[in-house]
Amino acid sequence: MRKQIAAANWKMNLSPEEGKSLLAEIVDANFKLEKKQEVIIAVPFLYLSMASGMVENINGVHIAAQDCSAYDNGAYTGQVSAEMLSQSGISYVIVGHSERRQYNHETNKELAGKLNQALANHLTVIFCCGEPLSVREEGSQEMYVKIQLDESLCMLSPGQHDNLIIAYEPIWAIGTGKTASTQQAQEMHAFIRHTLNEKFGEDAGNEIPILYGGSVKPANAAEIFGQPDVDGGLVGGASLEAKDFLEIIRSLKA
């Protein structure tokens, strides 16, 4: 069975003390992870050191950065390189989140650069893809996501897919009042799986976890995670409450 992953994305939320308290509450819950299960918590850059220290002795729990630069180094004020993350003990990073695509106008080509930098520095990448409402309404979601994957994963070499996780974000169902059905989630995950199999071969493609990032909550996590091509979730708002995120962790397939 593929890895089953509950990934939290705190985004730009929580004060240092609030973040420390939330992480302590999660850690102190002493939840048990099965062999193929993992928990990944993506925190703001300022909290990476604190968070890493709090989970360093807990098997299956990892801290992730929410982004990295497409460049090695240089005059890129405000950016953080993949090498900096790796040398600071961070082993996971999110690349291509829908909010960065929207607000920072990140292109597929730029994200290919970030992906390559991260993998070259031995980071495991949670690569996000997904379509907006206009694309879903015209029924072009599969082609839209395929282009995202083709243009950003085009330069991967054999073996690099071992450090790749895909997160599918139905942008049209996040904060819009519209809801993606479990069937719609499975259909897109199955399509992404097919695309990965074509690109990397079935043996490799079938081992890449695909997470669902469409407003996962305790009430819907078990049903969504129960789908054959859904391997967990990338969780936003619900990850800011320890009780909710712990319930989502417990909803992973064993």
Side-chain angles (χ1 to χ4, degrees), residues 110-147:
E110 181 180 0
L111 295 176
K114 293 188 176 194
L115 183 69
N116 290 330
Q117 282 290 323
L119 292 174
N121 284 280
H122 312 293
L123 301 178
T124 295
V125 175
I126 301 176
F127 182 81
C128 301
C129 59
E131 78 281 4
L133 180 60
S134 59
V135 171
R136 168 62 65 159
E137 287 181 336
E138 65 184 24
S140 303
Q141 61 271 14
E142 291 185 355
M143 182 56 66
Y144 187 91
V145 169
K146 188 176 190 305
I147 290 171

Side-chain angles (χ1 to χ4, degrees), residues 47-90:
Y47 305 167
L48 287 171
S49 179
M50 173 271 290
S52 295
M54 291 180 68
V55 307
E56 62 181 345
N57 295 318
I58 305 176
N59 289 333
V61 179
H62 310 280
I63 299 301
Q66 296 178 8
D67 185 39
C68 71
S69 177
Y71 304 100
D72 286 319
N73 53 64
Y76 302 106
T77 301
Q79 297 194 35
V80 175
S81 73
E83 183 179 24
M84 291 175 180
L85 294 174
S86 181
Q87 292 186 355
S88 298
I90 301 303

Side-chain angles (χ1 to χ4, degrees), residues 15 35 94 117 124 134 144 157 242 246:
S15 69
K35 184 177 180 180
I94 297 174
Q117 282 290 323
T124 295
S134 59
Y144 187 91
S157 58
L246 287 165

Side-chain angles (χ1 to χ4, degrees), residues 191-208:
F191 172 76
I192 293 169
R193 176 82 54 211
H194 175 73
T195 302
L196 296 174
N197 287 345
E198 285 188 330
K199 181 171 292 292
F200 301 118
E202 289 191 10
D203 287 346
N206 283 327
E207 286 301 313
I208 298 172

Side-chain angles (χ1 to χ4, degrees), residues 99-118:
E99 290 158 2
R100 292 201 59 85
R101 290 177 185 266
Q102 178 181 356
Y103 304 140
N104 297 80
H105 310 291
E106 293 184 344
T107 65
N108 293 332
K109 181 179 179 180
E110 181 180 0
L111 295 176
K114 293 188 176 194
L115 183 69
N116 290 330
Q117 282 290 323

